[in-house]
Structure formats: C-alpha cells, structure tokens
Amino acid sequence: MPTSLHDLTFDELRERIVRDGLRPAHSARLWNALHLRADTDLLARTDFLPPLRRWLEANLGTEFHLDVLPIATQTPSGDGLTRKYLLKLQDGQEIETVVMGYPGRHTTCVSTQAGCAMGCVFCATGQMGFVRHLRPGEIVAQVLHAQRVLRQHGGRLRNLVLMGMGEPLHNYDNVMKALGMISDTRGANIGPSKISISTVGVVPGILRMAEEGSHYNLAVSLHGSTEAERAALIPANQRWPLSELIAACHTYGEKTGRKIFFAWTLIAGVNDTPEHAQRLAALLSGIRAHVNLIPLNETAGYEGRESIETTGEVFHRIIQDAGIPCTIRQRRGIDVAAGCGQLKAERRKRGEKSTL
Ligand code: SAH
Ligand code: SF4
C-alpha cells in the first residue's frame, strides 16, 4: 500500500526527498503544492523543476499517493452559506466534512474517525459504531478540501473544529500529527488558537494535552451533570466517570491557563430543566469555562426531542447568572452543521449508492 504524501510532515518529506538525492528546496516546493496550493494533481503542474518532476513520476502511484477525497454527496444548508460534504476515503468509507461560511470567518468541521466507538445515544455517528481511525493525511485532506471550496468563492479558511464524525482523543497521535501540519505556517497556517478539539471526555487525552502544553482550544461534551444522567446519554462515562473528567479539566486549566468550552446538547425533559442548569453551574465552579448550548438534532435511533426555545433561554440565563459565559448555538447553519453523522445515516437509510 503506497504511503500518502499528506501523511508526511514538512521534516519527514524533506528527509525522504534528500535521501533520494534531491536538494531540500524541492521538498519545500512539493510541500507548498500540497499544503498551500492544495493541488490535487501534481503531475498536471508544469512548474516543477525536472528533478522533482522525475521524482514524482517515479514514485506517485507506486510508493506514494495523495489523499484527495472525492465528494460522494453534498448538501447545501437553507441559508446557502454552510455546506456539508460526504467525502470518500480510498477504502470506500465515507466521512463528513462541513464548511461553514460566516462572513469574514470561515470555519470547517472535520472528522477524525470513520464511525465512533463511544456510542452516545443521541448521536448518528455513535449509532453507527466504530469502523477505523483516520490517518493524519485523511484529516489534512478534509481541510484542503475546504480550502479549495472556499477559494472558489473568494473566501479563506480561518477556523477549524474537530466536531465531525469520531472522537479525536481516541485517535490522539494521528490527530495531533495532522494538526501540526495544518497549523504549520508554511502550509494551511491555521493558528492553534483557531483550532478547537471537541472530546466526549477521554480523560487520558485531556491530561496528555495538559502535559504537552497544547495551544489548541479544548471543548468537552458534558450533556449530564450527575454520573447516572451522563452515563445514560454517554456510555463512555462508565470508563471515564464525570468526577474524573472534571478533575482532569481542573488539571488542564491549571497547567495551561486556558479556558475550556463545555458543550451541552439540550434534550427536552432529559437535561434542560432549571435544576439541571443549576447543577451544571455548580459542577463548573472553579473552572474557567464557557458553556455552549446546542439544540438536539433529532436522529432516527434516539427518541429524545429538542427542547423548546424558552426552556433553552431559561437554562442560558441561569448559567450566565452564575457568572459563566454561555452561548446558545443559533439555528442558522445548524441544519447541516450540528448533526454529526446524519448525512451518512440518511443516505444509508435511502439506500443511495455513491455517484463516484
Ligand atoms: N466526539 C467528539 C466530537 C464529535 S461530536 C465529541 O463528542 O465531543 C461534536 C458535538 O456534537 C458533540 O458535542 C456532540 O455531543 C454533539 N452532537 C452529536 N450528535 C448530536 C445531535 N444529534 N444533536 C446535537 N448535538 C450532537
Ligand atoms: Fe462519538 Fe462524539 Fe458522537 Fe459521542 S457525540 S458518539 S463521542 S462522535
């Protein structure tokens, strides 16, 4: 199986190019084509110098390949600014990537795994089960896809969120390697402060981020403020209980000095009452926190319903009154953005075949 050029960091690419007898400048040019220009067909370029071109002709298709992910399906959102893509991997797996176009600050949401092992009951990806981890190149390729889409519309990608399919901290090494490449100033150059990693609460991963002094933003999906309530929604709570998760958040905050974003999906009658809000506020006391309230996107495999708007507003006010910044995610764009795994689930239900 050939290695993906998108799996190689700047240094790894240079090492290989130099080992094959080329000058290091060629590797910088190749990296630039891959990560800055986001080229999809290197042999179609006419501006590579002969040694690099010969190297590519000799190696592409045999020893190396590119991660260029064809579009299996795409769905524009109602407002036309947000677009969700189902992208096809080489082994036929399909993953979701969302490009969100807020004026002046385009964001992309990428997947880190095909499926997910965590089994959150309300989540379409969790309902599918785990297939495999994505390689670094497959994560990078989603960002490059978003760059190309935005370029066509004169936009530029500024923010990245790891909130697509999969649990990023369950695929820690590949995710961090990919983020290193994506934030490389010689490539896509999305600064670490513009990158958010969302986790269901993989405690060892959070502690590792704290230990490594990670500069990425951390978002923790809570959804429940007692062990039993959270475990009913998130089976992974049995492996990493809420008490350990909150302790890890304290450690992370102390070691990095960074704010933590907490996601709370509002589900009618399940976790949206004023008592739930008060318990959440108490749970977060002493942590530099920001709470993001997300209306539930209803899925076929879960009977829970979205909270009514006024309930969400009361919840929001209680959190804010406790001195914790809190945002209700707007409906705009959410029809495609929040329903992680839903495009794939819907297509599977309709029995549609890929067009590619
Ligand atoms: N695995 C990571 C990141 C992917 S999920 C995590 O769980 O954090 C990204 C976010 O979408 C999480 O906060 C998750 O709880 C939320 N989410 C998943 N399915 C949802 C749904 N049907 N409605 C609303 N939010 C959902
Ligand atoms: Fe996995 Fe996140 Fe979905 Fe839970 S919410 S099943 S962790 S993708």
Side-chain angles (χ1 to χ4, degrees):
M1 181 67 186
T3 304
S4 166
L5 283 178
H6 288 109
D7 271 339
L8 303 183
T9 63
F10 188 90
D11 290 347
E12 287 170 344
L13 190 63
R14 185 177 48 199
E15 192 189 313
R16 173 59 202 243
I17 289 277
V18 169
R19 179 148 53 92
D20 285 351
L22 276 74
R23 283 184 293 112
H26 290 297
S27 76
R29 237 164 260 134
L30 178 53
W31 172 273
N32 182 288
L34 292 168
H35 295 272
L36 198 63
R37 294 197 311 221
D39 282 355
T40 54
D41 184 359
L42 294 176
L43 291 177
R45 307 269 347 172
T46 53
D47 54 352
F48 288 136
L49 293 171
L52 179 56
R53 193 171 171 86
R54 279 196 298 274
W55 185 87
L56 288 168
E57 281 167 353
N59 288 300
L60 275 183
T62 50
E63 198 160 341
F64 291 110
H65 71 99
L66 302 187
D67 276 309
V68 178
L69 314 179
I71 300 169
T73 305
Q74 56 180 307
T75 322
S77 76
D79 60 25
L81 285 172
T82 298
R83 216 170 258 266
K84 189 166 193 165
Y85 296 88
L86 201 56
L87 301 178
K88 195 164 184 148
L89 306 177
Q90 272 175 350
D91 62 357
Q93 287 303 318
E94 290 169 348
I95 51 163
E96 291 182 12
T97 304
V98 186
V99 182
M100 291 171 271
Y102 305 101
R105 52 176 189 104
H106 294 95
T107 298
T108 190
C109 171
V110 302
S111 296
T112 55
Q113 297 176 318
C116 183
M118 301 297 150
C120 304
V121 296
F122 51 83
C123 171
T125 308
Q127 290 158 15
M128 275 170 216
F130 178 70
V131 182
R132 69 171 174 87
H133 294 305
L134 299 193
R135 287 183 288 99
E138 291 170 326
I139 299 170
V140 170
Q142 296 173 70
V143 173
L144 298 177
H145 169 79
Q147 300 265 44
R148 287 190 288 270
V149 169
L150 286 170
R151 243 172 239 168
Q152 280 170 6
H153 297 92
R156 188 177 168 272
L157 187 57
R158 291 206 188 276
N159 303 291
L160 170 65
V161 295
L162 275 56
M163 294 185 189
M165 298 167 78
E167 168 48 48
L169 300 187
H170 182 211
N171 187 16
Y172 194 96
D173 292 334
N174 287 348
V175 163
M176 293 304 170
K177 185 174 183 188
L179 293 184
M181 289 193 261
I182 292 161
S183 58
D184 193 316
T185 51
R186 299 163 292 197
N189 190 19
I190 302 175
S193 66
K194 307 280 183 213
I195 297 177
S196 300
I197 301 176
S198 177
T199 178
V200 72
V202 177
V203 168
I206 295 172
L207 294 175
R208 207 168 146 191
M209 280 178 74
E211 210 54 56
E212 291 168 2
S214 158
H215 293 294
Y216 306 116
N217 296 305
L218 177 65
V220 174
S221 301
L222 270 187
H223 314 318
S225 57
T226 67
E227 300 289 354
E229 274 178 12
R230 189 165 189 269
L233 298 171
I234 301 177
N237 193 74
Q238 266 132 25
R239 178 113 179 248
W240 301 291
L242 186 60
S243 55
E244 285 178 28
L245 173 58
I246 294 296
C249 290
H250 279 282
T251 306
Y252 175 92
E254 282 151 20
K255 290 220 163 147
T256 64
R258 301 185 69 82
K259 176 166 60 178
I260 303 176
F261 296 83
F262 289 93
W264 190 276
T265 294
L266 289 165
I267 310 169
V270 172
N271 66 358
D272 66 346
T273 67
E275 293 73 40
H276 287 107
Q278 278 145 8
R279 271 210 309 270
L280 170 61
L283 189 69
L284 298 182
S285 100
I287 298 176
R288 233 182 107 213
H290 184 117
V291 173
N292 281 319
L293 301 175
I294 311 165
L296 177 75
N297 254 311
E298 294 169 12
T299 53
Y302 178 59
E303 70 281 8
R305 293 285 163 256
E306 182 188 337
S307 300
I308 56 170
E309 214 172 306
T310 45
T311 310
E313 283 160 9
V314 172
F315 198 105
H316 178 237
R317 194 158 359 99
I318 294 171
I319 302 294
Q320 282 210 312
D321 288 349
I324 303 170
C326 181
T327 320
I328 303 189
R329 204 166 298 162
Q330 294 163 3
R331 289 307 295 177
R332 185 177 159 283
I334 206 119
D335 51 335
V336 293
C340 133
Q342 286 188 16
L343 181 58
K344 183 169 169 146
E346 276 160 27
R347 212 160 75 98
R348 192 191 269 178
K349 202 170 64 199
R350 291 201 303 270
E352 255 179 57
K353 286 271 177 313
S354 167
T355 51
L356 286 158

